[in-house]
Amino acid sequence: MVKFSTPLLAVLGLAADRAYAALDVDLDDPASIKKAAALVAEDLLTFYHGDEPGMVPGILPGPPPDGDYYWWQGGAMWGALLDYRHHTGDKTFDDLITQALLWQVGPNEDFMPPNWTASMGNDDQAFWALSAMLATEIGYTDPPPDQAQWLSLAQAVFHEQTHEDRRVPSGRCKWGLRWQVYPSNNGYNYINTIANACYFNIGARLARYTDNSTYADLATKTWDIIKDLGYISDKWEVYDGAHLPDCTDLNKAQFSYNSAMLLQGAAFLYNYTDGSQVWEDRINSLVDRMLQTFFPDNIAYEPSCEGTKCNADMLSFKGYTARWMGSTMQLAPFTQTKIMPVLKASTQAAVKQCTGGDNGRFCGFHWNTGVFDNSVGAGQQMNVLGSLISLLSPSVAPPLTNSTGGTSVGNVNAGSDEPLVPTFAPITGGDKAGAGILTALIIAVSLSGFAWMSTD
Ligand SMILES: *[C@@H]1O[C@H](CO)[C@@H](O)[C@H](O)[C@H]1NC(C)=O
Ligand SMILES: *[C@@H]1O[C@H](CO)[C@@H](O)[C@H](O)[C@H]1NC(C)=O
Ligand SMILES: *[C@@H]1O[C@H](CO)[C@@H](O)[C@H](O)[C@H]1NC(C)=O
Ligand SMILES: *[C@@H]1O[C@H](CO)[C@@H](O)[C@H](O)[C@H]1NC(C)=O
């Protein structure tokens, strides 16, 4: 690890244990990748304080103005750490992960804790469910029997989101899943890709895990709806969403996580259908477009914000994209020859710029410049972590199913006792301004002069 000789360090007045010059990693050596990933994970957790006295387990500091992060990103981080554990075998963070996920399940065991009502989008809820689903698929330690179980948590969220009260009753965007859960939240009239893509993804995974075609049918129905609405274009670009009443005011911003969420879900359905041609073709088309759009010069890039300013949400998309492409390589192995060389080149660029912070190895956000950009945060660490471990995906165990060793206990009725029209105190102006994943996007794009996005 130490790149400078000790005498030189003495001259420079530096302690040898702080002498990291970037992350020293050999991407052809799994052991080296694991070692580097461990350091990135350790640095990621410096942004987490939920395990400290008086703090709330599960969440990253926020939401603004109390910190940079919305509730969902905590859920996403536990997914990244579960994937890290699965790819490396490092169980260091198990207690943190379990405490975090179980703390946030809420009174109905459906990841809707009342504290977070003001930022409760269907996508926000789904990101926590996705981490529970991942726990199910990697055979993560089951909670004690008197607690919520991973599989039933994922089912609860999927079942609730299947219900009509989360959906558009009629018209051109009929049965589209709304962005927001509650009518009182900004964005209730926005039918966005990520909410629908998360639902699609969870459905695809529940179908494969439980071998229940009801889930696959609902996932496929969702794919058809957003394809017909033009959210997935004929060129396989994936747009952000559109508003009621007609879903015609397409917001054509492209974010990598939208495409990647669909890609991974498609890979699960491909695998569930024993390699159907339909899903193979869709996967090929998505992958080709994604590599062009999100990996110019083979380096991960967020075209809709990286040239201007990405908010804290967007700063975390590269990591999910890498991980979900990694899982695509497992479930649809024919994609490996296309995906792997690009992820490898991208990861090489990523680690090169991890030269920041006190220890000289914190990562920035811009990977294509070759130098650390002084932008540190949980998203930036998750991105590099996700990118590193994705290179190991083809050689680690594929997602389990109920019949191949999965032990998590499900519940076909989970989520059915949720009150259909939840009644909450009116949300105050301050809370409302902080709601949801995309509010910050709305603010960001207003700043950068786009006019297409209505703020309801
Ligand atoms: C809700 O907020 C209270 C008060 O801050 C806190 O003690 C509790 O842990 C929070 N619960 C969740 C699930 O965030
Ligand atoms: C489904 O995934 C498994 C596990 O990675 C893999 O061995 C199998 O080949 C995949 N199925 C198809 C049709 O590619
Ligand atoms: C698989 O699912 C069936 C029916 O849903 C259930 O009875 C069985 O216990 C499950 N197997 C395992 C290993 O969980
Ligand atoms: C399949 O899943 C659906 C939705 O949860 C459920 O209603 C149905 O009972 C399940 N079927 C079986 C055979 O478990």
Side-chain angles (χ1 to χ4, degrees), residues 270-271 274-275 330-331 333 398:
Y270 169 82
N271 203 269
D274 291 322
Q330 288 185 310
L331 294 159

Side-chain angles (χ1 to χ4, degrees), residues 18-62:
R18 296 181 58 181
Y20 295 103
L23 282 171
D24 196 3
V25 52
D26 174 1
L27 297 183
D28 292 318
D29 175 9
S32 176
I33 293 174
K34 289 178 192 177
K35 219 159 142 186
L39 298 175
V40 177
E42 183 187 320
D43 293 342
L44 164 60
L45 283 163
T46 63
F47 296 95
Y48 178 66
H49 304 288
D51 56 333
E52 294 166 14
M55 307 297 274
V56 178
I59 62 163
L60 286 161

Side-chain angles (χ1 to χ4, degrees), residues 155 159 212 214-215 412:
Q155 287 173 310
H159 296 162
N212 179 337
T214 306
Y215 294 117
V412 289

Side-chain angles (χ1 to χ4, degrees), residues 20 43 56 61-62 67 108 110 117 120 125 136 183 204 244-245 291 298 306-307 322 335 378 406 422 425 450 452:
Y20 295 103
D43 293 342
V56 178
N108 295 321
D110 58 356
T117 300
M120 192 54 70
Q125 185 192 24
T136 306
L244 294 179
L291 294 180
N298 292 347
E306 191 159 340
T335 60
F450 289 95
W452 34 253

Side-chain angles (χ1 to χ4, degrees), residues 41 57 84 114 117 149 203 291 309 402:
Y84 163 75
T117 300
Q149 302 298 310
L291 294 180
K309 185 163 175 41
N402 179 61

